[in-house]
């Protein structure tokens, strides 16, 4: 017989009064330093457990008007997508975001890793693979796929939650 210990869990509700950007929360991810990054349709926050820091998308804000759609921690590096076709990398040494891919006519919806250097970006129709070592992206793959709202790579297969099923 195995007995599980009961661990008390603290539930804390955070909102704009605490410093969170206004808007719908689309995603969140914990980084290797313990910060929680929160992507909303209005922008990006980093939460230390005590306070929020808001990141300005700067010149990208006008272009990535729908904020941050998804965030992933890949080997200690943070990558995030804006729905209006931007892939950002967080630069820890400069405490800012850098756009490393921009495809203006594509809508980015979801993000996952294929391996230690490749990201799979789910689009409103199809996928793009981005290699973080070469900073190169493929052309659109599987362009008949519709609204790849969430994607998962498991045992060599890509699963996509779409408006037409998985």
């Amino acid at each position: 017989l195995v007995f599980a210990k009961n661990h008390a869990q603290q539930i804390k509700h955070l909102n704009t009064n605490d410093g969170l950007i206004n808007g719908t929360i689309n995603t969140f991810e914990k980084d290797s330093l313990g910060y929680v990054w929160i992507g909303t349709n209005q922008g990006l926050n980093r939460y230390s457990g005590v306070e929020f820091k808001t990141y300005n998308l700067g010149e990208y804000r006008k272009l990535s008007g729908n904020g941050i759609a998804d965030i992933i921690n890949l080997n200690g590096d943070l990558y995030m997508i804006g729905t209006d076709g931007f892939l950002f990398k967080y630069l820890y040494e400069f405490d800012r975001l850098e756009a490393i891919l921009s495809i203006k006519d594509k809508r980015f919806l979801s993000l996952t890793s294929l391996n230690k250097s490749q990201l799979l970006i789910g689009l409103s129709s199809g996928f793009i693979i981005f290699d973080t070592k070469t900073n190169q992206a493929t052309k659109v793959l599987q362009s008949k796929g519709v609204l790849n709202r969430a994607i998962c790579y498991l045992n060599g297969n890509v699963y996509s939650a779409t408006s037409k099923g998985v």
Side-chain angles (χ1 to χ4, degrees):
L1 248 218
V2 176
F3 294 96
K5 287 185 177 182
N6 287 335
H7 295 283
Q9 299 296 318
Q10 178 183 1
I11 297 174
K12 189 173 186 178
H13 179 78
L14 302 167
N15 59 37
T16 55
N17 294 332
D18 301 298
L20 183 64
I21 293 176
N22 194 12
T24 301
I25 294 174
N26 298 323
T27 186
F28 53 91
E29 180 75 28
K30 187 176 179 181
D31 72 9
S32 54
L33 299 176
Y35 292 110
V36 175
W37 293 80
I38 303 165
T40 76
N41 61 357
Q42 298 294 315
L44 178 69
N45 279 125
R46 181 182 75 188
Y47 183 61
S48 68
V50 177
E51 64 185 359
F52 285 98
K53 179 172 181 176
T54 300
Y55 285 82
N56 185 352
L57 298 179
E59 72 258 29
Y60 312 117
R61 183 69 179 118
K62 291 177 188 151
L63 302 171
S64 186
N66 292 326
I68 301 297
D70 209 350
I71 304 171
I72 191 169
N73 184 343
L74 181 67
N75 305 319
D77 288 321
L78 275 184
Y79 295 90
M80 50 204 78
I81 53 172
T83 56
D84 290 348
F86 280 92
L87 173 64
F88 297 101
K89 180 179 182 182
Y90 176 68
L91 304 176
Y92 282 93
E93 60 275 12
F94 301 110
D95 191 26
R96 69 175 176 84
L97 299 175
E98 177 181 55
I100 57 175
L101 177 65
S102 172
I103 304 177
K104 292 176 180 54
D105 63 340
K106 298 296 177 194
R107 186 167 177 227
F108 290 7
L109 298 177
S110 52
L111 186 62
T112 194
S113 63
L114 296 175
N115 54 45
K116 291 183 179 185
S117 67
Q118 291 182 320
L119 297 172
L120 180 66
I121 302 170
L123 309 174
S124 56
S125 56
F127 301 93
I128 293 173
I129 297 173
F130 182 82
D131 190 306
T132 61
K133 288 185 179 176
T134 64
N135 281 346
Q136 297 292 314
T138 64
K139 62 182 182 178
V140 176
L141 309 168
Q142 300 292 321
S143 60
K144 301 288 185 203
V146 179
L147 292 176
N148 297 295
R149 295 180 182 165
I151 50 178
C152 175
Y153 183 68
L154 182 63
N155 299 326
N157 295 305
V158 173
Y159 298 91
S160 176
T162 74
S163 56
K164 298 189 180 208
V166 176

